[in-house]
Amino acid sequence: MFRPAIPITGGVLILAILSALAAVFDGDTMALSLLGPIGLVALAQLAMLLRRTLSAWLLLVAALSFLGITLLSYLLPEYWVSLAQWDRASAWLFGGIPLDAWRPALSVTLCLMALAINVAIRSRAVYGGPLLAGIALLLLLMQLIASLIGSDYVVPYAAAPREQLLLWGLLAGQVLAALPGWRAGALIIQRTLWLALALAAMVMLFWYQQKQLTEEQLRAQVQTTGQQLADRLTREIDEHLSAMQRFANFWTLFDRPPSQAEWGHQAAPFHRDFRYFLNIAFIDPDSRVRRIYPHSDINRQALGVRLFDAQPQGRAALSQALIEQRTGRTGVIELLQGVPGIIHYLPIPLDERQTLGAVAMVVSLPLLADTLFQQTDTRQFALSLYAGQGERELLSHWPEAALGPWQYAARLDVAGQPLELRIQPSRASLVQQLPRHPAVSLVIGLTLAYLLYLMRHAYASLARQHRAAHAANAELRREIRTRTQLQKEVEWLASHDELTRLPNRRLFLDTLKANAEQLPLSVMICDIDHFKRINDHHGHLVGDRFLNQLGKIGHEIIESHGGLFARYGGEEFVACLPGTPAEQAMMAAEQIRLGLQAANLLHHDGKPLTISIGVVTQVAGAVELASLMQAADDALYRAKAEGRNRVILAHSDHGILSDS
C-alpha cells in the first residue's frame, strides 16, 4: 500500500508549497499560517513512508509545536491569558500580525493535530491510529458541510476549500499506508473503533450545539448593547425637547425681542447640556435670524438670513411656529452651516393672534452621532447613523480592527424623525467575549474518546492473548492426553499381543519372574495342532480368527484360576499359575483343551481343531525360569509325540514334576 500512498502524499506536499507561494504573493496570512503546518506534516509523512524516521520526527515536532500554541489560544481562559496578550505575543513573533489574522480554526487545528500524531505513531492500531483517522474524517466532514451551507460565526470552523483538499489528501495517504496493518487486526479494530468513534461524533455534535448557543447569546448581547445605546439617545432627545419647551416658555414673559446678551445668557446652559445643538436661534416673524448662540463664526453667518428664502425645506415647519403658533419640526435637511440636521421651531406668542417670534433649536446630526459614539468604545465597534430607513448615511465611524460578522440596526425617533443606528462589533471584541468551555469540552471529549479506544484495544488484545493462551493450553492438554494415550498404547503394545490382545512373551516372563516365590508354581505351554494347515487351506485371516478364539478361551479359564494367559509366539500360548498345584493346573489345561474342541473350529477336511498342552509345576526350591520353561516345552513335545490333543504333566528331582 506504500506505492499509492507515496505519490498522494508527495502531491499534497507539492500543492501545499505552491499554495504557500501564492499566499505569500497575495499577502494571505491566514492561508499561509495553515499551509505551513500542512506542508510540514505532509513532508514528515513522506519521510516516514521512505523510512527517514529522524527527519520525520523533527518535522512533526515543529508542526505540533505550532498547533499546540494555537490550541492553547483557544483553551486558556481570558482571565489567564487575555486576547490582548496573545496579540502582543503574536505581534512580537510575526512582525505586528495579531492572533486572529493567522490562527487556524479550532476544528482545522484538531484535524491537523490528529493527522500529525497519526504520522508519529505510524497509524498503528495499538496506539489509536484508526481512531485518529476517524476523528480527522469527522472533522473534515464538518468543515465540508460548513463550507456548503455557509455560516456567519465569529470564529469559523472550516478551512478554505484548497486547505480542505490538502487535508483530505493527507488523510487518504495515511489510510492507504496503514490498511495492510489494520487488516491484520481487523477484528480487534472493529470491536474497539466504533464505540470510541461514536463518542467522538457525539462530542463534536455537543460542541457544535454549544458553539451555536454561545454565539447566539453573544449575538443577543450585541443587539442588547445597540438597543441600549439607541434607548439612551432617545431618552436624551426627549429630555432636550422638554428643556426646549421650557426655554421657549421663558420668552413669553417678554413683549419685546431679546437682546444678544439676554439670549446668550439663557441659551448657554441648554447648549452646555446638549452638545449636539449646533445653535439656538431667535427667529422674528419675518423668518429672519435675529439672535444666535453660540456666537461663533459659522453661526454669525446665519444672522439676518431670511429662512423662508434661504431654507425652503424648513418653510412649512417654521410657518407652523410663526403663523399657527404650533411647534414645527423639519425633516433631515441641509442646514445653513452645510451639515445635515433637524430644526425644532417653538413659537413665542404675544397673544392669540400675534407672535413675538420663534425659538429654533438646530440639531446637528453629525454632532448628535458624535455624542452618541462617545458613549461607547469606538475602538471595538463600527457605528453608523442613517436618515430615515438607511437611505442616507449621516455619519459613521470604523475602527482599525477587523469587524465581526454581525450588524445590528436600531431605530431612533428624534422628535418624530426616524433615524437608524447601525452597530457592528469588531471581531476581536467578539472573540474576547466568547466563552472557552465549548473548545475545552471538544478537546476533553476527543481525548476521552482516544483513551477509550486505547483501553478497549488493550482489553481486546489481552482478551485475544488470553483466548490464544487458553486455546494453546487446551491444545497442549489434548497433546498431552494424546501423547499419554500413545505412551500407554506403546507400553501396552510392548507387553501385549496386538492380534489377540493377550499379554505377550515379555509380560509373561516378567510375571513369571515376579511370582517365582509363590510355590507351587505351575506353567503351561499350549500349541495348536497342525495350525499350518489352517493358514495353508483357509488363509491367514481364518488363522487369526482361530488364534483369537483360543486366546479368549484360555484367558477366561486361566484368569478364573488366578493366573496369566499369554501368547508366546505364532500358534503357541503360555500360562502362569502362581500358587496353583499340579492337579488344579492340569484341570485348567484340560478345560482349555476341551473348550477349544467345543468351539467347533474345523480344519479343511472337517476335523476339529485341537491343542496340545505341556504342564509343569514346581513345588519347592529356587525357581530357574529357563529350566521351568524347558520342562514345560519338553512336556509339550511329548504331547505332540504321543498323538496330540492331550495334556502332559512334567516331573523333576528339583521339585519340578516329571512325566506321570
Side-chain angles (χ1 to χ4, degrees):
M1 283 294 179
F2 277 11
R3 291 182 178 178
I6 290 176
I8 289 176
T9 306
V12 170
L13 179 60
I14 293 173
L15 184 57
I17 294 173
L18 294 176
S19 300
L21 292 175
V24 171
F25 181 77
D26 295 337
D28 191 348
T29 307
M30 180 66 74
L32 188 61
S33 66
L34 184 55
L35 289 169
I38 288 177
L40 289 174
V41 174
L43 190 57
Q45 184 169 314
L46 188 61
M48 197 68 79
L49 292 173
L50 297 175
R51 313 294 186 187
R52 302 292 189 269
T53 307
L54 180 60
S55 301
W57 272 106
L58 293 175
L59 293 166
L60 288 174
V61 167
L64 287 172
S65 298
F66 173 82
L67 295 172
I69 294 173
T70 303
L71 184 60
L72 284 177
S73 70
Y74 281 106
L75 300 181
L76 294 181
E78 179 71 17
Y79 58 84
W80 284 12
V81 182
S82 66
L83 183 62
Q85 291 173 318
W86 280 110
D87 283 338
R88 285 196 295 271
S90 174
W92 179 74
L93 289 173
F94 301 108
I97 300 175
L99 174 71
D100 224 33
W102 61 264
R103 182 174 65 170
L106 177 60
S107 59
V108 180
T109 302
L110 291 175
C111 178
L112 195 51
M113 286 188 76
L115 294 173
I117 295 173
N118 216 6
V119 173
I121 65 174
R122 302 185 185 183
S123 301
R124 293 176 180 172
V126 68
Y127 297 132
L131 180 64
L132 289 172
I135 289 174
L137 176 63
L138 291 176
L139 290 169
L140 284 173
L141 289 175
M142 287 183 64
Q143 295 181 54
L144 180 61
I145 294 172
S147 299
L148 293 176
I149 64 176
S151 62
D152 58 350
Y153 295 114
V154 175
V155 180
Y157 62 89
R162 176 182 58 190
E163 285 76 23
Q164 289 188 45
L165 178 62
L166 295 176
L167 293 173
W168 279 105
L170 282 177
L171 178 60
Q174 287 184 7
V175 172
L176 287 175
L179 274 179
W182 291 353
R183 287 198 186 104
L187 184 59
I188 292 181
I189 293 175
Q190 289 176 5
R191 291 177 177 176
T192 57
L193 176 62
W194 301 116
L195 181 60
L197 199 59
L199 176 59
M202 291 176 60
V203 167
M204 291 182 193
L205 290 176
F206 179 68
W207 166 74
Y208 177 77
Q209 183 184 20
Q210 281 190 313
K211 182 179 176 64
Q212 289 278 94
L213 181 60
T214 53
E215 296 221 358
E216 287 176 3
Q217 291 174 344
L218 187 58
R219 187 195 297 263
Q221 184 177 340
V222 171
Q223 293 177 351
T224 301
T225 301
Q227 191 60 50
Q228 288 175 347
L229 197 61
D231 292 344
R232 187 162 58 245
L233 182 61
T234 301
R235 287 194 301 270
E236 186 170 329
I237 292 171
D238 291 339
E239 290 175 1
H240 97 252
L241 289 176
S242 299
M244 284 194 306
Q245 190 62 53
R246 292 194 300 272
F247 180 81
N249 291 338
F250 173 79
W251 299 108
T252 60
L253 302 176
F254 295 83
D255 56 358
R256 58 177 177 80
S259 66
Q260 182 62 42
E262 292 172 335
W263 187 259
H265 177 73
Q266 293 296 326
F270 289 92
H271 187 269
R272 183 173 59 250
D273 292 339
F274 304 102
R275 303 297 299 176
Y276 45 84
F277 285 166
L278 184 61
N279 58 68
I280 302 174
F282 173 73
I283 311 299
D284 67 13
D286 191 35
S287 78
R288 294 185 183 276
V289 179
R290 295 302 181 184
R291 303 287 183 262
I292 196 166
Y293 182 88
H295 205 63
S296 60
D297 292 339
I298 191 170
N299 285 331
R300 280 198 300 270
Q301 296 176 6
L303 287 173
V305 173
R306 190 172 187 272
L307 295 179
F308 280 163
D309 299 330
Q311 202 172 58
Q313 291 176 312
R315 184 180 300 166
L318 182 56
S319 296
Q320 288 178 349
L322 294 177
I323 299 173
E324 302 175 15
Q325 296 187 359
R326 293 186 299 110
T327 300
R329 301 182 182 89
T330 68
V332 178
I333 62 174
E334 187 75 19
L335 301 178
L336 297 179
Q337 290 81 1
V339 295
I342 300 172
I343 304 176
H344 300 272
Y345 293 108
L346 288 84
I348 306 176
L350 289 175
D351 53 34
E352 293 181 356
R353 295 183 178 182
Q354 291 184 333
T355 303
L356 180 65
V359 176
M361 298 283 191
V362 182
V363 178
S364 169
L365 291 179
L367 286 178
L368 177 66
D370 189 59
T371 301
L372 175 66
F373 296 167
Q374 289 177 5
Q375 299 177 13
T376 186
D377 187 358
T378 54
R379 296 172 300 175
Q380 303 294 337
F381 294 92
L383 298 169
S384 302
L385 189 63
Y386 289 83
Q389 302 296 321
E391 299 89 356
R392 177 185 177 190
E393 182 180 306
L394 303 177
L395 187 68
S396 63
H397 174 81
W398 301 91
E400 296 181 0
L403 296 178
W406 308 326
Q407 185 182 74
Y408 177 69
R411 303 299 178 185
L412 301 178
D413 186 359
V414 180
Q417 296 300 320
L419 297 179
E420 184 179 89
L421 173 66
R422 296 178 185 176
I423 178 170
Q424 186 172 5
S426 67
R427 192 164 181 267
S429 67
L430 294 174
V431 171
Q432 189 174 8
Q433 297 177 68
L434 276 177
R436 302 294 193 267
H437 64 267
V440 173
S441 300
L442 177 62
V443 174
I444 292 177
L446 293 181
T447 303
L448 290 177
Y450 182 69
L451 294 177
L452 175 64
Y453 174 89
L454 293 181
M455 181 186 70
R456 287 180 56 83
H457 192 280
Y459 176 79
S461 298
L462 289 175
R464 182 183 64 176
Q465 293 174 9
H466 176 74
R467 289 192 298 271
H470 181 74
N473 289 336
E475 183 64 28
L476 182 59
R477 287 193 294 271
R478 285 194 297 271
E479 183 68 20
I480 291 174
R481 287 196 298 269
T482 302
R483 288 179 178 271
T484 302
Q485 185 65 29
L486 289 175
Q487 182 66 26
K488 290 179 180 178
E489 290 181 5
V490 169
E491 292 176 355
W492 186 87
L493 288 174
S495 58
H496 289 77
D497 175 57
E498 188 175 4
L499 175 63
T500 62
R501 318 297 291 181
L502 293 175
N504 62 9
R505 178 174 181 171
R506 175 183 293 178
L507 182 56
F508 169 77
L509 293 176
D510 291 342
T511 303
L512 187 59
K513 187 183 299 183
N515 294 277
E517 296 180 358
Q518 296 188 33
L519 301 178
L521 177 62
S522 297
V523 175
M524 66 175 68
I525 299 180
C526 311
D527 186 84
I528 299 176
D529 298 329
H530 304 298
F531 186 74
K532 186 175 182 303
R533 296 177 185 176
I534 298 296
N535 287 332
D536 291 344
H537 291 89
H538 291 297
H540 289 281
L541 292 179
V542 175
D544 290 345
R545 181 167 61 84
F546 286 3
L547 291 173
N548 273 320
Q549 188 67 30
L550 175 58
K552 292 178 181 179
I553 295 170
H555 174 71
E556 292 175 0
I557 294 172
I558 296 301
E559 190 178 64
S560 66
H561 288 275
L564 177 73
F565 191 73
R567 186 180 181 188
Y568 200 65
E571 68 272 16
E572 288 188 342
F573 292 82
V574 292
C576 172
L577 295 163
T580 304
E583 296 80 5
Q584 187 176 347
M586 287 294 290
M587 183 177 63
E590 189 64 24
Q591 289 176 347
I592 293 174
R593 187 184 71 80
L594 294 175
L596 181 63
Q597 192 171 346
N600 197 26
L601 302 176
L602 304 176
H603 283 280
H604 68 285
D605 55 2
K607 293 181 180 180
L609 185 69
T610 60
I611 188 171
S612 299
I613 304 174
V615 180
V616 61
T617 302
Q618 183 166 341
V619 296
V623 175
E624 294 183 5
L625 298 182
S627 299
L628 193 63
M629 292 299 296
Q630 184 61 47
D633 192 60
D634 290 344
L636 174 63
Y637 180 76
R638 291 176 63 81
K640 292 281 189 182
E642 293 180 7
R644 295 182 172 85
N645 192 22
R646 65 191 65 223
V647 179
I648 299 296
L649 180 64
H651 292 278
S652 174
D653 295 338
H654 301 286
I656 302 176
L657 298 178
S658 59
D659 297 346
S660 59

